[in-house]
Amino acid sequence: MVTEGSNGHVGVLDRAVHLLLAFQYGETALPLTELAVRTGLPKSTVRRLANTLARYNLIGTDGQGTYSLGIRLWELGVVSVNGRLPLRMVEHYAEQAAADWDETCHVAILDGQDVIYIVRVASTRAVEVQTHLGQRVPAYATATGMAVLSTHPAEMIRVAFSDPLEIFTESTPPTVEKLITRVEQTRERGYALTIPGWQPDICDAAAPILDRTGHAVAAIGIAGSIYRNTEERLHQMGTYIKAVADEISCDIGVLFR
């Protein structure tokens, strides 16, 4: 719902952004009435904003009062990611990793306290990791998140996160200081492990993809069922995925030289 800013004023741009953010994963379209409820805006305002956004393909409309997110948003997202990480190249590495281990491979970028899956290559197994492309997950509870955070100084992590941290499984760090300890272990080892991860039946290993300055622009990880992957095998995955991440990092350094 749209709320007033510190000066008591809600601008047109604020309303437009909240309208876009009203859509959730899996929702192909929403009626005008539902958008008005979610944003707290009058129907007339929602209709006016949606029609303006539709002119730029940021929102789609059927002309009958039902709206969907526009394809232009996806195009802008691809442009944003490709500016720091060439997706086509990274997808090739993710496909190879998924094939080598027959497990799901993710590439994720950090956004605030979360990581977002920008590449997902599924395994061929009957019981598969239940994640989706574009999904936002807590960075402190995932291997990909801790891999990215491993290049961040402790003070930056203390600023970004605060206690208490939400607990998802028994391996979730409950405090920021515990998170920093896990991040430091990741930095020393070169890859992150979660056993289980933020889902109770999933474990994963991930390593940071670095730019030329040594800062993580993303992480690549392998995730699978905790019931078929021992801790020993997960460490093997970690060693493997670190080598993959290092190779991607070298390629990025060449491309963005």
Side-chain angles (χ1 to χ4, degrees):
M1 180 175 292
V2 178
T3 56
E4 291 184 350
S6 58
N7 60 359
H9 176 69
V10 179
V12 174
L13 183 57
D14 293 297
R15 295 187 179 98
V17 170
H18 279 278
L19 179 58
L20 294 172
L21 295 178
F23 292 88
Q24 299 175 10
Y25 178 78
E27 295 176 335
T28 56
L30 291 173
L32 176 66
T33 302
E34 179 62 22
L35 286 172
V37 170
R38 293 188 185 187
T39 59
L41 296 171
K43 292 181 183 179
S44 58
T45 301
V46 172
R47 183 183 296 107
R48 184 171 64 254
L49 289 171
N51 289 339
T52 298
L53 292 169
R55 292 205 299 270
Y56 299 95
N57 287 333
L58 296 173
I59 273 187
T61 176
D62 64 356
Q64 303 298 317
T66 300
Y67 300 91
S68 59
L69 293 177
I71 194 65
R72 183 59 177 154
L73 291 171
W74 176 80
E75 293 174 337
L76 291 171
V78 171
V79 170
S80 173
V81 172
N82 269 305
R84 49 180 152 168
L85 192 67
L87 278 176
R88 184 170 296 180
M89 181 193 75
V90 176
E91 285 171 350
H92 167 74
Y93 282 102
E95 288 167 357
Q96 187 61 57
D100 287 348
W101 291 89
D102 198 13
E103 298 287 5
T104 299
C105 184
H106 299 106
V107 177
I109 58 174
L110 184 68
D111 183 48
Q113 296 183 341
D114 303 323
V115 286
I116 301 173
Y117 295 139
I118 59 171
V119 173
R120 181 185 186 276
V121 181
S123 74
T124 61
R125 297 179 183 272
V127 179
E128 219 268 296
V129 175
Q130 298 303 306
T131 55
H132 59 78
L133 190 63
Q135 186 170 5
R136 179 183 290 270
V137 295
Y140 66 87
T142 63
T144 49
M146 281 189 286
V148 176
L149 291 174
S150 68
T151 66
H152 291 205
E155 198 52 46
M156 186 178 294
I157 294 174
R158 291 189 182 99
V159 171
F161 298 91
S162 59
D163 292 335
L165 299 175
E166 182 180 356
I167 304 299
F168 296 93
T169 66
E170 62 268 26
S171 70
T172 305
T175 66
V176 174
E177 293 307 313
K178 291 287 187 181
L179 169 61
I180 290 172
T181 298
R182 292 280 296 278
V183 167
E184 289 172 347
Q185 292 171 346
T186 296
R187 187 182 302 121
E188 293 172 2
R189 191 169 47 210
Y191 58 87
L193 299 179
T194 57
I195 317 170
W198 64 284
Q199 298 180 45
D201 56 347
I202 299 299
C203 58
D204 56 339
I209 298 172
L210 309 177
D211 62 17
R212 295 179 65 199
T213 69
H215 180 75
V217 293
I220 183 168
I222 304 172
S225 170
I226 198 170
Y227 304 111
R228 62 173 175 259
N229 290 296
T230 63
E231 185 172 348
E232 179 183 2
R233 187 169 190 262
L234 201 60
H235 277 286
Q236 292 171 351
M237 287 182 186
T239 301
Y240 168 94
I241 207 64
K242 180 183 182 302
V244 173
D246 288 347
E247 190 170 348
I248 297 173
S249 301
C250 288
D251 287 348
I252 289 175
V254 171
L255 284 174
F256 291 105
R257 180 174 299 170

